[in-house]
Amino acid sequence: MIEVKNISKSYGEKKQKILAVDNISFSVENGEIFGLIGPDGSGKTSIFRMLTTLLHPDSGSAEIEGLDVVKDYKKIRQILGYMPGKFSLYQDLTVEENLEFFASVFNTSIQENYDLIKDIYQQIEPFKDRKAGKLSGGMKQKLALSCALIHKPKVLFLDEPTTGVDPVSRKEFWEMLKRLKQQGITIVVATPYMDEATLCDRVALMQNGKILKIDTPQNICNSFPEDLYEVKTENIPALIKILKEYETTKNTYAFGEFVHVVIKKEKDFKKETLEKFLQEKRFNKIEINKIEATIEDSFILLLSNNGELKVEN
Ligand SMILES: Nc1ncnc2c1ncn2[C@@H]1O[C@H](COP(=O)(O)OP(=O)(O)OP(=O)(O)O)[C@@H](O)[C@H]1O
């Protein structure tokens, strides 16, 4: 179990001070996949650094399995695995040498813990004599995960593990995480990808060092407070422009081949009226459907409600 209470962290002095983590609290249950979701600079990495004992909080406290991240840092390092955002392996060592190195740091060996990494490591074992710097993005990621797991951690911290990785490897990666969860490992993962949020048991949405919401992806979608429509016509950029000015619109943004329009619930909105309006403005092939919010829609709304991030298209 992870228990974070009112932690804050800022960088720099006085006028140039940046409050990276602003009085954040949350907890993660054992065996949970917990996601920190947020745009670049929202404070995810700073939280990871504090929880992995690499950075001291300015205030507040955090415990992992009852151990304090400041006082008990040595014990904590034995029970956690950390895959930092940037590629953290030794580029000039081979795949096998990297893994041996990380095993030796924890006084263990590849053989001793092979069972835990077998699924993942087997996929890169054919390349075990290749230098890590010469691996593809997906293979580097598998090696980094194997290294983070080699000492059988109870808790695994993964900072943007799929950034720069192809879609097939991303999918495989999440399947691996599910298997690790089944083995009882608690996983905290930071990602800027909204689609990955739905794969977590619970997520915390972050912005500017604060948590805007914590819940299961399903609850977050279900609690979407407004009405949502998808609209399609021939000229999408012109459609977005005109929908922004439409009376009942709260927010509108491109979403795949459609434009999503958030309509204030209390407003008297009729699909037919919008259709007629768009026809008058000479839009062709108009399609309008009422839809359920995805997690991405929920996050966009939360972020725009917070006033600091506007979704522009
Ligand atoms: N060592 C540092 N010195 C000064 N400012 C920092 C430092 N590390 C982070 N920051 C700033 O703190 C804020 C939060 O950064 P952090 O890296 O924690 O966010 P993030 O959500 O992980 O984003 P990213 O994905 O860009 O790393 C940002 O404004 C960042 O510029």
Side-chain angles (χ1 to χ4, degrees):
M1 167 133 185
I2 302 171
E3 190 90 51
V4 177
K5 282 192 195 137
N6 305 103
I7 52 165
S8 294
K9 179 76 206 173
S10 51
Y11 301 102
E13 296 291 324
K14 292 182 181 157
K15 275 187 190 158
Q16 276 153 21
K17 202 164 171 177
I18 296 168
L19 186 55
V21 177
D22 185 2
N23 195 20
I24 274 183
S25 302
F26 63 91
S27 57
V28 181
E29 298 299 323
N30 285 344
E32 196 173 23
I33 301 185
F34 187 85
L36 287 179
I37 320 290
D40 282 348
S42 53
K44 307 182 297 293
T45 302
S46 301
I47 292 183
F48 270 71
R49 295 220 176 106
M50 289 189 278
L51 294 182
T52 53
T53 78
L54 301 175
L55 194 67
H56 282 182
D58 295 339
S59 55
S61 64
E63 286 186 354
I64 298 177
E65 303 272 315
L67 299 168
D68 183 274
V69 290
V70 177
K71 282 193 290 225
D72 305 314
Y73 75 95
K74 279 192 181 155
K75 283 185 189 150
I76 286 195
R77 287 181 188 180
Q78 297 297 320
I79 60 162
L80 64 83
Y82 180 33
M83 189 173 152
K86 305 248 156 50
F87 186 46
S88 58
L89 304 168
Y90 293 94
Q91 311 278 322
D92 286 337
L93 295 185
T94 65
V95 167
E96 194 172 32
E97 285 165 348
N98 263 291
L99 199 55
E100 273 167 358
F101 170 77
F102 281 90
S104 70
V105 169
F106 289 99
N107 287 323
T108 183
S109 64
I110 301 179
Q111 293 71 28
E112 205 172 320
N113 293 324
Y114 191 71
D115 256 8
L116 187 63
I117 61 160
K118 192 172 72 185
D119 273 0
I120 306 155
Y121 188 60
Q122 269 176 352
Q123 300 173 42
I124 47 171
E125 217 167 7
F127 312 98
K128 68 181 164 60
D129 296 322
R130 188 178 288 187
K131 295 242 164 72
K134 299 264 184 266
L135 296 174
S136 70
M139 285 198 280
K140 280 181 182 173
Q141 175 210 41
K142 281 171 191 150
L143 177 58
L145 182 60
S146 301
C147 290
L149 283 169
I150 195 64
H151 59 296
K152 276 201 181 140
K154 289 186 177 160
V155 184
L156 192 56
F157 289 93
L158 309 167
D159 193 358
E160 302 199 10
T162 58
T163 298
V165 172
D166 65 274
V168 176
S169 300
R170 272 176 66 188
K171 192 164 174 285
E172 279 176 12
F173 190 80
W174 276 89
E175 279 157 15
M176 287 186 288
L177 294 192
K178 282 201 180 129
R179 286 198 292 273
L180 291 173
K181 173 191 155 84
Q182 280 159 10
Q183 297 185 48
I185 296 179
T186 307
I187 299 171
V188 184
V189 57
T191 177
Y193 298 120
M194 298 286 180
D195 59 332
E196 293 187 344
T198 55
L199 303 170
C200 299
D201 295 315
R202 279 187 315 136
V203 293
L205 172 68
M206 291 195 60
Q207 186 186 29
N208 294 336
K210 285 200 167 72
I211 292 180
L212 301 182
K213 196 169 181 97
I214 303 182
D215 212 329
T216 62
Q218 193 58 51
N219 284 348
I220 289 177
C221 294
N222 292 349
S223 61
F224 194 78
E226 312 287 5
D227 288 329
L228 185 67
Y229 287 82
E230 57 176 18
V231 184
K232 194 159 84 171
T233 62
E234 269 179 352
N235 186 346
I236 296 285
L239 177 67
I240 292 177
K241 199 158 175 273
I242 204 121
L243 285 174
K244 275 193 176 154
E245 289 154 18
Y246 195 68
E247 204 206 332
T248 52
T249 302
K250 183 178 165 92
N251 200 1
T252 182
Y253 43 89
F255 202 101
E257 52 175 342
F258 283 89
V259 173
H260 280 191
V261 194
V262 182
I263 307 283
K264 289 180 200 142
K265 254 218 158 77
E266 67 275 12
K267 295 276 178 182
D268 182 22
F269 174 84
K270 285 201 178 61
K271 198 175 131 174
E272 297 70 28
T273 318
L274 175 62
E275 193 164 1
K276 200 156 157 262
F277 171 78
L278 292 175
Q279 277 163 355
E280 280 165 10
K281 297 281 178 190
R282 301 191 186 288
F283 281 93
N284 293 316
K285 298 191 182 164
I286 302 164
E287 192 184 325
I288 305 172
N289 306 306
K290 187 160 197 296
I291 53 166
E292 297 294 321
T294 64
I295 192 142
E296 194 158 357
D297 293 302
S298 307
F299 282 178
I300 289 171
L301 187 67
L302 280 164
L303 294 174
S304 59
N305 275 347
N306 204 33
E308 313 221 14
L309 182 136
K310 295 270 177 275
V311 180
E312 298 289 345
N313 291 290

